[in-house]
Each structure stands twice: as structure tokens, then as C-alpha cells.
Amino acid sequence: MSTTDKASTEAPNPSEEAADAADAADAADAADASEAAAGAQLSTAPAEDTGGPVGIGVIGWVRWFWRQLTSMRVALILLFLLSLGSIPGSLVPQNQVDAMKVAQWKKDHSFWVPLAEKLQLFDVYSSVWFSAIYLLLFISLIGCIVPRSWQFVGQLTGRPPGAPRRLDRLPAYATWRTEKSPDEVLAHAKTVLGGRRFRTEAGASAVAAEKGYLREAGNLAFHIALIVMLVAFAWGQLFKSEGGKLVLRGKGFANTLTQYDDFKYGSFFSADDLAPFSFTLDKFDATYEESGPQKGTARDFKAYVTFSDGADGAPQKREIQVNKPMEVDGSKVYLLGHGYAPIVSVTDPTGKVVFKDAVPMLPFDANLSSSGAVKVPDGYRDKDGNKEQLGFNAMFVPTFAGEGKGTMLSQFPDLKFPVLALSAYHGSLGVDAGLPQNVYQLNTSKMQEFKDADGQLFKKRLLPGETMELPNGAGTVKFEGVERWATFSITRQPGSGLALGGAIAAIGGLAASLFIQRRRVWVRAVAGEDGVTVVEMAGLGRSESAKLPEELGQLAAALHQQAPTAPDQPVKETVEGERG
């Protein structure tokens, strides 16, 4: 394969030179137009409209606004604004997540509350401005994808464009002379290109071929997947529900709103959406490393439950582990955590038991050192017969180091040496006001301390089975034993499967749009003045690529085997790369 240059031996003539220059300019313009046509529509991306409104009046402005909204530049800006707008939702407590945290935030930042409420910062994801960005992005993507999809369908049903007049001006080019006839060369070219999965179209003296449609298909799939993910996100946010429940061993849970300790839900959630099931926590197992540098590290958590599906469902034995939830009718039951609940009994001055229950404690370190509160709101009367409420700040450790061996902190998370420390109060717990309270904290603002002999707050450490006598014959408190508890999260997140599918499709589409190159190849074969066929091959890609000349070289070599260089010509093969 070779190219030849022919130098003129005649003396130059000024007028002829001017005419030749004009003809060359016209030819160059025609060649440029031909190359532009050859490279057109290698992408389905719509042309950017940088002008102002088209036409006069409202219709012109509407058209201009629509073109701007459906441009990819605006879509990227809206996507950035959506990401930026979600930041306040992670920094400021949200009403639908935790109303108590919102109330505390307002109390701590009272100066900013009016501004935050005007900006709807406590309900970011349902605010007007966030919804507006979300809907505009949704409309922008649809308005961009629909015409682009139709254009791509048109390209799939169309045929590769004809060869440009000057193939040697394209980025990758090869040529040689062969004794084969033009028809034979073109027939071989069509076979070679078709074998490489090019779509071919034969013309009078050239074969046009095209490949790489999956690039645009991947590009469209990526943008469609973004829409799918937006729909899935909206669906999940509107219909979701998530609640938490602490369950003591031997106790049960039914999936109704009144059973939850905390519950959050989407705008379109209905209580009828809750799957009808219940379960009882039969047993909870936790194992830990007993020695070595990882001593105390959890090895396995497992909750054994008796599960019933519906009101009349047969009881079934199930296991729930961390990251292995129990699935029920679109809802998932996750095991979140566990801890201890000391069993405490309280008697009044007459010896009557007024309280006996397992009191969950909240862990605050890896060894399950826990704190909590024992509250006796009803049934207690002092020695004068007056109704009163009792409260005890509690500290529990499953493995105590021993008296004089450090602070009241656990040395191991399992029950090796359990100790319960209590400090006693009497008065009003504040529960009668109807305001929500933290079950793990004791509000002592309306309570008085029980005093010891030294006039200090009365407190004592108890081992299982030991009893603490309250001052002045006010009653007794007994540490009966220890029970386990586990916390479960029951979530219903519709659209999660759709979001996963959209994410996978987006990754696949993005990979296709990045790694697949759209390119066209033309083969021209014409008989020369000496009767020998001149073969030309050229390639054009959507973007500059070092692989295009390499691929053209492989195609030229395959075709050269079917139409070898004429014997009277020197056997010299060249494949031109990028041209200036």
C-alpha cells in the first residue's frame, strides 16, 4: 500500500497559478464539507443553543427556556444543586426522622429558628425548593433523552453515509494498487468489514461501514438510568416506613404503629401498608473473644425468634443475625444491637411490692457498661401514706473489676461479674404532664434525694440477689437478676430494587459510553488510467483515538490478503495516523 506524488516539470505561469489556487480552494471547501457530512451524527447529543429567544413574544421565550432546560449543561447544574441542597438535611435534624432532636436543636439555636423555619430546613426533602430542583432535573433529563432517543432510533434504521470525496484527508488512511477488479475488491471489503461486525452499505465505487452503536446506547442507558433512580428515590421517600423496637427476651412484638419505640415514614405512607406479622424473642446469643489483643471483640450475635405471619399464621422458628435480616412481605427486620436489663423489684414501707420489672440499660462503651433509670410512677406510698413517685439513677456493668480496682466500668461485655449501682430519689417524675421523656434518663428537677447517714445522696452497689434498704424505712430495692434485650429495625423501602437496577444500568451505560468508540470506515476501489485498481481505505471516529489507525491497519491487512498489491508495484504498506 502506498501513496505517490506527481511533480510538474513545466515552467510556472502566473495566471495559471492563480486559477489553480482558486480551484484548489474550491476543492478544499468541498472536501471539508464532505468530511463534515461524513462525521455528522456520530453522536446523538443535541446541538447547544447559545442564542437568545427565538421568535417574538411568549412562544419565543417558552421555546428558549425549554431548550435551555433540556440542555445537558443545565441538567448537570441541577444535579449539582440537588447534591448541594441535601447538605442541610444531614446537618439539621429533620422532623420526620427525630422530632425530639429537632426540639432540642431549636432550644440550642433559638436565634436561627425563624430563618430555618422560613427556609424549611427541618423538612428539607419535602420542602418547596428541594422539590422544585428535583422536578426540574426530572423534566430536564426527560426533555433531553426523548428527542435523543428518537434520533438514535433513526440512526439505527438508517444506513452508513457515502464516502467523502477526499479520503486521504481523514485521520486514518491507507492505499495500494491491485490487479483485482473494483467489484471484486468491494465484494471482499464488504465481507471483511461484515466479519468484524461493521454495518455495511455498498455504493457505486465504495463501501461504507459503521460500528460502535453501543456507545450511544450506553450513553442513553446512563441517562435513562438516572431517571429510574430519581423515580425510585421519590417512590422510596414517599412510601417508606422505618421503626425501631427494643424487645426483652421472652417478650414479643407485633407490627402495628403502637408497638414501635420510634417510627418515621414517608408522606404517602398508610398504616395499612404495614405487613401483618409478629415475633417473640426466645433467645439471644452473643460470643466474644476471651483472650489475646482482641479480647472482648464480638464474634457473633444471633437472635432466635418465633415468627407468625398474619393473625392466623403458624409459628415458625427463625434466626436473625447482623446483616442477615428476616424478610416479610417487602419488610425487613434487622438486628441492630443488644444489651442488658437488670430485673429490679421495689417495695413500699409496708413490704408491698409496687414495682418489679426488667429495666433496659443503654450501653455506652464496647464492654457494655450501661446507664439507665428505674422509675416507679404508680403504687408507692411513703410511711405517712402519701402518694409519691420513686426514681433511681442506675449504672450497670456485666463484668465489674472489683472494689478498689478502678472505676465502675465493665472489663468484659459478657456476664462475668454483674454489678448494679443505684442512687435514690423521691418526689415527682414529671410523667403526669404528658410530655415525652427519655426512658434512659431521670428528670430530678422535681425530686428530692434520699440522704445517707452523712447527709449525702444515698447510693449503693448491688450484686444479683442483694437488697438495698431505703433511708427512714421508705422501702427496699432488690436486684433480682439480669435479662437480655435486643433492638430491631423494621424497614419497608419500596423502590430499592428499582434503584439497584438503575444504578447497575447507569454503571454499565457509563462504561459503554467511555470505552466504546463510534467509528466509520470507507473503502473505495476505482480503475486507474493504466487499468490497475486503486484501493483507498479511511477511517473516522467520533473522537481522536490511537486505536483507529491500528484498527484500520488490521482491516487493510485483511483486505490486502484478498486483493494483494499489483506485482509491478513495490510492496510497501503504510497506514497513516493522525494528520495535521
Side-chain angles (χ1 to χ4, degrees), residues 292-347:
Q294 300 296 321
K295 181 179 179 181
T297 302
R299 297 179 59 187
D300 187 34
F301 296 143
K302 187 179 295 185
Y304 299 87
V305 301
T306 300
F307 165 79
S308 296
D309 190 359
D312 303 322
Q316 308 172 37
K317 297 295 183 180
R318 297 279 188 92
E319 297 179 5
I320 307 176
Q321 301 182 53
V322 177
N323 297 326
K324 293 183 180 179
M326 178 175 67
E327 299 188 21
V328 187
D329 295 337
S331 298
K332 293 184 179 181
V333 182
Y334 292 90
L335 175 62
L336 292 186
H338 72 103
Y340 296 102
I343 302 173
V344 178
S345 63
V346 180
T347 63

CSV table of all heavy atoms in Angstrom, one decimal, residues 292-347:
chain,number,residue,atom,x,y,z
A,292,GLY,N,-6.3,-12.6,74.4
A,292,GLY,CA,-5.5,-12.0,73.3
A,292,GLY,C,-5.7,-10.5,73.1
A,292,GLY,O,-6.5,-9.9,73.8
A,293,PRO,N,-5.1,-9.9,72.1
A,293,PRO,CA,-5.2,-8.5,71.8
A,293,PRO,C,-6.7,-8.1,71.4
A,293,PRO,O,-7.0,-6.9,71.6
A,293,PRO,CB,-4.2,-8.2,70.7
A,293,PRO,CG,-4.0,-9.5,70.0
A,293,PRO,CD,-4.2,-10.6,71.1
A,294,GLN,N,-7.5,-9.0,70.9
A,294,GLN,CA,-8.8,-8.8,70.5
A,294,GLN,C,-9.8,-9.2,71.6
A,294,GLN,O,-11.0,-9.3,71.3
A,294,GLN,CB,-9.2,-9.5,69.3
A,294,GLN,CG,-8.3,-9.2,68.1
A,294,GLN,CD,-8.5,-7.7,67.6
A,294,GLN,OE1,-9.6,-7.2,67.7
A,294,GLN,NE2,-7.4,-7.1,67.3
A,295,LYS,N,-9.4,-9.3,72.8
A,295,LYS,CA,-10.2,-9.7,73.9
A,295,LYS,C,-11.4,-8.7,74.0
A,295,LYS,O,-11.3,-7.5,74.0
A,295,LYS,CB,-9.5,-9.7,75.3
A,295,LYS,CG,-10.3,-10.1,76.5
A,295,LYS,CD,-9.5,-10.1,77.7
A,295,LYS,CE,-10.4,-10.5,78.9
A,295,LYS,NZ,-9.6,-10.5,80.2
A,296,GLY,N,-12.6,-9.3,74.1
A,296,GLY,CA,-13.8,-8.5,74.3
A,296,GLY,C,-14.5,-8.2,72.9
A,296,GLY,O,-15.6,-7.7,72.9
A,297,THR,N,-13.8,-8.5,71.8
A,297,THR,CA,-14.3,-8.2,70.5
A,297,THR,C,-15.5,-9.2,70.2
A,297,THR,O,-15.3,-10.4,70.4
A,297,THR,CB,-13.3,-8.3,69.4
A,297,THR,OG1,-12.2,-7.4,69.7
A,297,THR,CG2,-13.8,-8.0,68.0
A,298,ALA,N,-16.5,-8.7,69.7
A,298,ALA,CA,-17.7,-9.5,69.3
A,298,ALA,C,-17.4,-10.5,68.2
A,298,ALA,O,-16.7,-10.1,67.2
A,298,ALA,CB,-18.9,-8.7,69.0
A,299,ARG,N,-17.8,-11.7,68.3
A,299,ARG,CA,-17.6,-12.7,67.3
A,299,ARG,C,-18.9,-13.0,66.6
A,299,ARG,O,-18.9,-13.2,65.4
A,299,ARG,CB,-17.0,-14.0,67.9
A,299,ARG,CG,-15.6,-13.8,68.5
A,299,ARG,CD,-15.1,-15.1,69.2
A,299,ARG,NE,-15.0,-16.2,68.2
A,299,ARG,CZ,-14.8,-17.5,68.5
A,299,ARG,NH1,-14.6,-17.8,69.8
A,299,ARG,NH2,-14.7,-18.4,67.5
A,300,ASP,N,-20.0,-13.1,67.3
A,300,ASP,CA,-21.2,-13.4,66.6
A,300,ASP,C,-22.4,-13.0,67.5
A,300,ASP,O,-22.3,-13.1,68.7
A,300,ASP,CB,-21.3,-15.0,66.4
A,300,ASP,CG,-22.5,-15.4,65.6
A,300,ASP,OD1,-22.9,-14.6,64.7
A,300,ASP,OD2,-23.1,-16.4,65.9
A,301,PHE,N,-23.4,-12.4,66.9
A,301,PHE,CA,-24.7,-12.1,67.5
A,301,PHE,C,-25.8,-12.8,66.8
A,301,PHE,O,-25.8,-12.8,65.5
A,301,PHE,CB,-24.9,-10.6,67.5
A,301,PHE,CG,-23.9,-9.7,68.2
A,301,PHE,CD1,-23.5,-8.5,67.7
A,301,PHE,CD2,-23.4,-10.2,69.4
A,301,PHE,CE1,-22.6,-7.7,68.4
A,301,PHE,CE2,-22.5,-9.4,70.1
A,301,PHE,CZ,-22.1,-8.2,69.6
A,302,LYS,N,-26.7,-13.4,67.5
A,302,LYS,CA,-27.8,-14.1,66.9
A,302,LYS,C,-29.0,-14.1,67.7
A,302,LYS,O,-28.9,-14.4,68.9
A,302,LYS,CB,-27.4,-15.6,66.6
A,302,LYS,CG,-28.4,-16.4,65.8
A,302,LYS,CD,-27.9,-17.8,65.5
A,302,LYS,CE,-26.6,-17.8,64.7
A,302,LYS,NZ,-26.2,-19.2,64.3
A,303,ALA,N,-30.1,-13.7,67.1
A,303,ALA,CA,-31.4,-13.7,67.8
A,303,ALA,C,-32.3,-14.8,67.3
A,303,ALA,O,-32.5,-15.0,66.1
A,303,ALA,CB,-32.1,-12.3,67.6
A,304,TYR,N,-32.8,-15.6,68.2
A,304,TYR,CA,-33.7,-16.7,67.9
A,304,TYR,C,-35.1,-16.3,68.2
A,304,TYR,O,-35.4,-15.9,69.4
A,304,TYR,CB,-33.4,-18.0,68.7
A,304,TYR,CG,-32.0,-18.5,68.4
A,304,TYR,CD1,-30.9,-18.0,69.2
A,304,TYR,CD2,-31.8,-19.5,67.5
A,304,TYR,CE1,-29.6,-18.5,69.0
A,304,TYR,CE2,-30.5,-19.9,67.2
A,304,TYR,CZ,-29.4,-19.5,68.0
A,304,TYR,OH,-28.1,-19.9,67.7
A,305,VAL,N,-36.0,-16.3,67.2
A,305,VAL,CA,-37.4,-15.8,67.4
A,305,VAL,C,-38.4,-16.8,66.9
A,305,VAL,O,-38.1,-17.7,66.1
A,305,VAL,CB,-37.6,-14.4,66.6
A,305,VAL,CG1,-36.6,-13.4,67.0
A,305,VAL,CG2,-37.5,-14.7,65.1
A,306,THR,N,-39.6,-16.7,67.5
A,306,THR,CA,-40.7,-17.4,67.0
A,306,THR,C,-41.6,-16.5,66.2
A,306,THR,O,-42.1,-15.5,66.7
A,306,THR,CB,-41.5,-18.0,68.1
A,306,THR,OG1,-40.7,-18.9,68.9
A,306,THR,CG2,-42.7,-18.8,67.6
A,307,PHE,N,-41.7,-16.7,64.9
A,307,PHE,CA,-42.3,-15.8,63.9
A,307,PHE,C,-43.7,-16.3,63.5
A,307,PHE,O,-43.9,-17.5,63.3
A,307,PHE,CB,-41.4,-15.6,62.7
A,307,PHE,CG,-42.1,-15.0,61.5
A,307,PHE,CD1,-42.3,-13.6,61.5
A,307,PHE,CD2,-42.5,-15.8,60.5
A,307,PHE,CE1,-42.9,-13.0,60.4
A,307,PHE,CE2,-43.1,-15.2,59.4
A,307,PHE,CZ,-43.3,-13.8,59.3
A,308,SER,N,-44.7,-15.4,63.4
A,308,SER,CA,-46.0,-15.7,62.9
A,308,SER,C,-46.4,-14.7,61.8
A,308,SER,O,-46.3,-13.5,62.0
A,308,SER,CB,-47.0,-15.7,64.0
A,308,SER,OG,-46.8,-16.6,65.0
A,309,ASP,N,-46.7,-15.2,60.6
A,309,ASP,CA,-47.1,-14.4,59.5
A,309,ASP,C,-48.6,-14.2,59.5
A,309,ASP,O,-49.4,-15.2,59.2
A,309,ASP,CB,-46.7,-15.0,58.2
A,309,ASP,CG,-46.8,-14.1,57.0
A,309,ASP,OD1,-47.3,-13.0,57.2
A,309,ASP,OD2,-46.4,-14.5,55.9
A,310,GLY,N,-49.1,-13.0,59.8
A,310,GLY,CA,-50.5,-12.7,59.9
A,310,GLY,C,-51.1,-13.2,61.2
A,310,GLY,O,-50.4,-13.7,62.1
A,311,ALA,N,-52.4,-12.9,61.4
A,311,ALA,CA,-53.1,-13.2,62.6
A,311,ALA,C,-53.2,-14.7,62.9
A,311,ALA,O,-53.2,-15.2,64.0
A,311,ALA,CB,-54.5,-12.6,62.7
A,312,ASP,N,-53.3,-15.5,61.8
A,312,ASP,CA,-53.6,-16.9,61.9
A,312,ASP,C,-52.4,-17.7,61.4
A,312,ASP,O,-52.5,-18.9,61.1
A,312,ASP,CB,-54.8,-17.3,61.1
A,312,ASP,CG,-56.1,-16.6,61.5
A,312,ASP,OD1,-56.2,-16.3,62.8
A,312,ASP,OD2,-56.9,-16.2,60.7
A,313,GLY,N,-51.2,-17.1,61.2
A,313,GLY,CA,-50.1,-17.8,60.7
A,313,GLY,C,-49.5,-18.8,61.7
A,313,GLY,O,-49.5,-18.6,62.9
A,314,ALA,N,-49.0,-19.9,61.2
A,314,ALA,CA,-48.4,-20.9,62.0
A,314,ALA,C,-47.1,-20.5,62.6
A,314,ALA,O,-46.3,-19.9,61.8
A,314,ALA,CB,-48.2,-22.2,61.3
A,315,PRO,N,-46.8,-20.7,63.8
A,315,PRO,CA,-45.5,-20.2,64.4
A,315,PRO,C,-44.3,-20.9,63.7
A,315,PRO,O,-44.4,-22.1,63.4
A,315,PRO,CB,-45.6,-20.6,65.9
A,315,PRO,CG,-47.0,-20.8,66.1
A,315,PRO,CD,-47.6,-21.3,64.9
A,316,GLN,N,-43.3,-20.1,63.4
A,316,GLN,CA,-42.1,-20.6,62.8
A,316,GLN,C,-40.9,-20.2,63.5
A,316,GLN,O,-40.8,-19.1,64.0
A,316,GLN,CB,-42.0,-20.1,61.3
A,316,GLN,CG,-43.2,-20.3,60.5
A,316,GLN,CD,-43.1,-19.6,59.1
A,316,GLN,OE1,-42.0,-19.6,58.5
A,316,GLN,NE2,-44.2,-19.1,58.6
A,317,LYS,N,-39.9,-21.0,63.6
A,317,LYS,CA,-38.6,-20.7,64.2
A,317,LYS,C,-37.7,-20.0,63.2
A,317,LYS,O,-37.5,-20.5,62.1
A,317,LYS,CB,-37.9,-21.9,64.8
A,317,LYS,CG,-38.7,-22.6,65.9
A,317,LYS,CD,-38.9,-21.7,67.2
A,317,LYS,CE,-39.6,-22.4,68.3
A,317,LYS,NZ,-39.7,-21.5,69.5
A,318,ARG,N,-37.2,-18.8,63.5
A,318,ARG,CA,-36.4,-18.1,62.6
A,318,ARG,C,-35.1,-17.6,63.4
A,318,ARG,O,-35.1,-17.5,64.6
A,318,ARG,CB,-37.1,-16.8,62.0
A,318,ARG,CG,-38.3,-17.2,61.2
A,318,ARG,CD,-37.9,-17.6,59.8
A,318,ARG,NE,-39.1,-17.7,58.9
A,318,ARG,CZ,-39.6,-16.7,58.2
A,318,ARG,NH1,-39.0,-15.5,58.2
A,318,ARG,NH2,-40.6,-16.9,57.4
A,319,GLU,N,-34.1,-17.3,62.6
A,319,GLU,CA,-32.9,-16.7,63.2
A,319,GLU,C,-32.6,-15.3,62.5
A,319,GLU,O,-32.7,-15.2,61.3
A,319,GLU,CB,-31.7,-17.6,63.0
A,319,GLU,CG,-31.8,-18.9,63.8
A,319,GLU,CD,-30.6,-19.8,63.5
A,319,GLU,OE1,-29.6,-19.3,62.8
A,319,GLU,OE2,-30.6,-21.0,64.0
A,320,ILE,N,-32.2,-14.3,63.3
A,320,ILE,CA,-31.9,-13.0,62.7
A,320,ILE,C,-30.5,-12.7,63.2
A,320,ILE,O,-30.1,-12.7,64.4
A,320,ILE,CB,-32.8,-11.9,63.2
A,320,ILE,CG1,-34.3,-12.4,62.9
A,320,ILE,CG2,-32.5,-10.6,62.6
A,320,ILE,CD1,-35.3,-11.4,63.5
A,321,GLN,N,-29.6,-12.4,62.2
A,321,GLN,CA,-28.2,-12.0,62.5
A,321,GLN,C,-27.9,-10.6,62.0
A,321,GLN,O,-28.7,-10.1,61.1
A,321,GLN,CB,-27.3,-13.0,61.9
A,321,GLN,CG,-27.5,-14.5,62.4
A,321,GLN,CD,-26.5,-15.4,61.8
A,321,GLN,OE1,-25.3,-15.2,61.9
A,321,GLN,NE2,-27.0,-16.5,61.3
A,322,VAL,N,-26.8,-10.1,62.4
A,322,VAL,CA,-26.4,-8.8,61.9
A,322,VAL,C,-26.1,-8.9,60.4
A,322,VAL,O,-25.4,-9.9,59.9
A,322,VAL,CB,-25.1,-8.3,62.6
A,322,VAL,CG1,-24.6,-7.0,62.0
A,322,VAL,CG2,-25.4,-8.1,64.1
A,323,ASN,N,-26.7,-8.0,59.6
A,323,ASN,CA,-26.6,-8.1,58.1
A,323,ASN,C,-27.3,-9.2,57.5
A,323,ASN,O,-27.1,-9.5,56.3
A,323,ASN,CB,-25.1,-8.0,57.7
A,323,ASN,CG,-24.4,-6.8,58.1
A,323,ASN,OD1,-25.0,-5.7,58.1
A,323,ASN,ND2,-23.1,-6.9,58.4
A,324,LYS,N,-28.0,-10.0,58.2
A,324,LYS,CA,-28.9,-11.1,57.7
A,324,LYS,C,-30.3,-10.9,58.2
A,324,LYS,O,-30.7,-11.6,59.1
A,324,LYS,CB,-28.3,-12.4,58.1
A,324,LYS,CG,-27.0,-12.7,57.4
A,324,LYS,CD,-26.5,-14.1,57.8
A,324,LYS,CE,-25.1,-14.4,57.1
A,324,LYS,NZ,-24.6,-15.8,57.5
A,325,PRO,N,-31.0,-10.0,57.6
A,325,PRO,CA,-32.4,-9.6,58.2
A,325,PRO,C,-33.4,-10.7,57.8
A,325,PRO,O,-33.2,-11.6,56.9
A,325,PRO,CB,-32.7,-8.3,57.5
A,325,PRO,CG,-32.0,-8.4,56.2
A,325,PRO,CD,-30.7,-9.1,56.5
A,326,MET,N,-34.5,-10.7,58.6
A,326,MET,CA,-35.6,-11.5,58.3
A,326,MET,C,-36.6,-10.7,57.4
A,326,MET,O,-37.0,-9.6,57.7
A,326,MET,CB,-36.4,-11.9,59.6
A,326,MET,CG,-37.6,-12.8,59.4
A,326,MET,SD,-38.3,-13.3,60.9
A,326,MET,CE,-38.9,-11.8,61.6
A,327,GLU,N,-36.9,-11.3,56.2
A,327,GLU,CA,-37.8,-10.6,55.2
A,327,GLU,C,-39.2,-11.1,55.3
A,327,GLU,O,-39.5,-12.3,55.3
A,327,GLU,CB,-37.2,-10.8,53.8
A,327,GLU,CG,-35.8,-10.3,53.6
A,327,GLU,CD,-35.4,-10.3,52.2
A,327,GLU,OE1,-36.2,-10.3,51.3
A,327,GLU,OE2,-34.1,-10.3,52.0
A,328,VAL,N,-40.2,-10.1,55.3
A,328,VAL,CA,-41.6,-10.5,55.4
A,328,VAL,C,-42.4,-9.5,54.6
A,328,VAL,O,-42.5,-8.3,54.9
A,328,VAL,CB,-42.1,-10.3,56.9
A,328,VAL,CG1,-43.5,-10.8,57.0
A,328,VAL,CG2,-41.2,-11.1,57.9
A,329,ASP,N,-42.9,-10.0,53.5
A,329,ASP,CA,-43.8,-9.2,52.6
A,329,ASP,C,-43.3,-7.8,52.3
A,329,ASP,O,-44.0,-6.8,52.4
A,329,ASP,CB,-45.2,-9.0,53.3
A,329,ASP,CG,-45.9,-10.4,53.4
A,329,ASP,OD1,-45.6,-11.3,52.6
A,329,ASP,OD2,-46.8,-10.5,54.3
A,330,GLY,N,-42.0,-7.7,51.8
A,330,GLY,CA,-41.5,-6.4,51.5
A,330,GLY,C,-40.9,-5.7,52.6
A,330,GLY,O,-40.2,-4.6,52.4
A,331,SER,N,-41.0,-6.1,53.9
A,331,SER,CA,-40.4,-5.5,55.0
A,331,SER,C,-39.2,-6.4,55.5
A,331,SER,O,-39.2,-7.6,55.3
A,331,SER,CB,-41.4,-5.4,56.2
A,331,SER,OG,-42.5,-4.6,55.8
A,332,LYS,N,-38.2,-5.7,56.0
A,332,LYS,CA,-37.0,-6.4,56.5
A,332,LYS,C,-36.8,-6.1,58.0
A,332,LYS,O,-37.0,-4.9,58.4
A,332,LYS,CB,-35.8,-6.0,55.8
A,332,LYS,CG,-35.8,-6.4,54.3
A,332,LYS,CD,-34.5,-6.0,53.6
A,332,LYS,CE,-34.5,-6.5,52.2
A,332,LYS,NZ,-33.2,-6.2,51.5
A,333,VAL,N,-36.5,-7.1,58.8
A,333,VAL,CA,-36.3,-7.0,60.2
A,333,VAL,C,-34.8,-7.2,60.5
A,333,VAL,O,-34.3,-8.3,60.3
A,333,VAL,CB,-37.1,-8.0,61.0
A,333,VAL,CG1,-36.9,-7.8,62.5
A,333,VAL,CG2,-38.6,-7.9,60.7
A,334,TYR,N,-34.2,-6.1,60.9
A,334,TYR,CA,-32.7,-6.1,61.1
A,334,TYR,C,-32.4,-6.2,62.6
A,334,TYR,O,-33.1,-5.6,63.4
A,334,TYR,CB,-32.1,-4.8,60.6
A,334,TYR,CG,-32.1,-4.7,59.1
A,334,TYR,CD1,-33.1,-4.1,58.4
A,334,TYR,CD2,-31.0,-5.2,58.3
A,334,TYR,CE1,-33.1,-3.9,57.0
A,334,TYR,CE2,-31.0,-5.1,56.9
A,334,TYR,CZ,-32.0,-4.4,56.3
A,334,TYR,OH,-32.0,-4.3,54.9
A,335,LEU,N,-31.4,-6.9,62.9
A,335,LEU,CA,-30.9,-6.9,64.3
A,335,LEU,C,-29.9,-5.8,64.4
A,335,LEU,O,-28.8,-5.8,63.7
A,335,LEU,CB,-30.2,-8.3,64.6
A,335,LEU,CG,-29.5,-8.4,66.0
A,335,LEU,CD1,-30.5,-8.2,67.1
A,335,LEU,CD2,-28.8,-9.8,66.1
A,336,LEU,N,-30.1,-4.8,65.3
A,336,LEU,CA,-29.3,-3.7,65.4
A,336,LEU,C,-28.3,-3.7,66.6
A,336,LEU,O,-27.1,-3.4,66.4
A,336,LEU,CB,-30.1,-2.4,65.5
A,336,LEU,CG,-30.9,-2.0,64.3
A,336,LEU,CD1,-31.6,-0.6,64.6
A,336,LEU,CD2,-30.1,-1.9,63.1
A,337,GLY,N,-28.8,-4.1,67.7
A,337,GLY,CA,-27.9,-4.1,68.9
A,337,GLY,C,-28.5,-4.9,70.0
A,337,GLY,O,-29.6,-5.5,69.9
A,338,HIS,N,-27.8,-4.9,71.1
A,338,HIS,CA,-28.3,-5.7,72.3
A,338,HIS,C,-27.7,-5.1,73.5
A,338,HIS,O,-26.8,-4.2,73.5
A,338,HIS,CB,-27.8,-7.2,72.2
A,338,HIS,CG,-26.4,-7.4,72.4
A,338,HIS,ND1,-25.8,-7.9,73.5
A,338,HIS,CD2,-25.3,-7.1,71.6
A,338,HIS,CE1,-24.5,-8.0,73.4
A,338,HIS,NE2,-24.2,-7.5,72.2
A,339,GLY,N,-28.2,-5.6,74.7
A,339,GLY,CA,-27.7,-5.1,75.9
A,339,GLY,C,-28.3,-5.8,77.1
A,339,GLY,O,-28.9,-6.9,76.9
A,340,TYR,N,-28.2,-5.3,78.3
A,340,TYR,CA,-28.7,-6.0,79.5
A,340,TYR,C,-29.9,-5.1,80.1
A,340,TYR,O,-29.9,-3.9,80.0
A,340,TYR,CB,-27.6,-6.2,80.5
A,340,TYR,CG,-26.5,-7.1,79.9
A,340,TYR,CD1,-25.3,-6.6,79.5
A,340,TYR,CD2,-26.7,-8.5,79.9
A,340,TYR,CE1,-24.3,-7.4,79.0
A,340,TYR,CE2,-25.7,-9.3,79.4
A,340,TYR,CZ,-24.5,-8.8,78.9
A,340,TYR,OH,-23.6,-9.6,78.4
A,341,ALA,N,-30.7,-5.9,80.8
A,341,ALA,CA,-31.8,-5.3,81.5
A,341,ALA,C,-31.9,-5.9,82.9
A,341,ALA,O,-32.4,-7.0,83.1
A,341,ALA,CB,-33.2,-5.5,80.8
A,342,PRO,N,-31.3,-5.2,83.9
A,342,PRO,CA,-31.4,-5.7,85.3
A,342,PRO,C,-32.9,-5.8,85.8
A,342,PRO,O,-33.7,-4.9,85.5
A,342,PRO,CB,-30.6,-4.7,86.1
A,342,PRO,CG,-29.8,-3.9,85.1
A,342,PRO,CD,-30.5,-4.0,83.9
A,343,ILE,N,-33.2,-6.9,86.4
A,343,ILE,CA,-34.5,-7.1,87.0
A,343,ILE,C,-34.5,-6.5,88.4
A,343,ILE,O,-33.8,-7.0,89.3
A,343,ILE,CB,-34.9,-8.6,87.0
A,343,ILE,CG1,-34.8,-9.2,85.6
A,343,ILE,CG2,-36.3,-8.8,87.6
A,343,ILE,CD1,-35.0,-10.7,85.6
A,344,VAL,N,-35.4,-5.5,88.6
A,344,VAL,CA,-35.4,-4.8,89.9
A,344,VAL,C,-36.8,-4.8,90.5
A,344,VAL,O,-37.8,-4.7,89.7
A,344,VAL,CB,-35.0,-3.3,89.6
A,344,VAL,CG1,-35.1,-2.5,91.0
A,344,VAL,CG2,-33.6,-3.2,89.1
A,345,SER,N,-36.9,-5.1,91.8
A,345,SER,CA,-38.2,-5.0,92.5
A,345,SER,C,-38.1,-4.0,93.6
A,345,SER,O,-37.0,-3.8,94.2
A,345,SER,CB,-38.5,-6.4,93.1
A,345,SER,OG,-37.5,-6.8,94.1
A,346,VAL,N,-39.2,-3.3,93.8
A,346,VAL,CA,-39.3,-2.2,94.8
A,346,VAL,C,-40.5,-2.5,95.7
A,346,VAL,O,-41.6,-2.8,95.2
A,346,VAL,CB,-39.4,-0.8,94.1
A,346,VAL,CG1,-39.5,0.3,95.2
A,346,VAL,CG2,-38.2,-0.6,93.2
A,347,THR,N,-40.2,-2.3,97.0
A,347,THR,CA,-41.3,-2.5,98.0
A,347,THR,C,-41.5,-1.2,98.7
A,347,THR,O,-40.6,-0.4,98.8
A,347,THR,CB,-41.0,-3.6,99.0
A,347,THR,OG1,-39.9,-3.2,99.7
A,347,THR,CG2,-40.8,-4.9,98.3
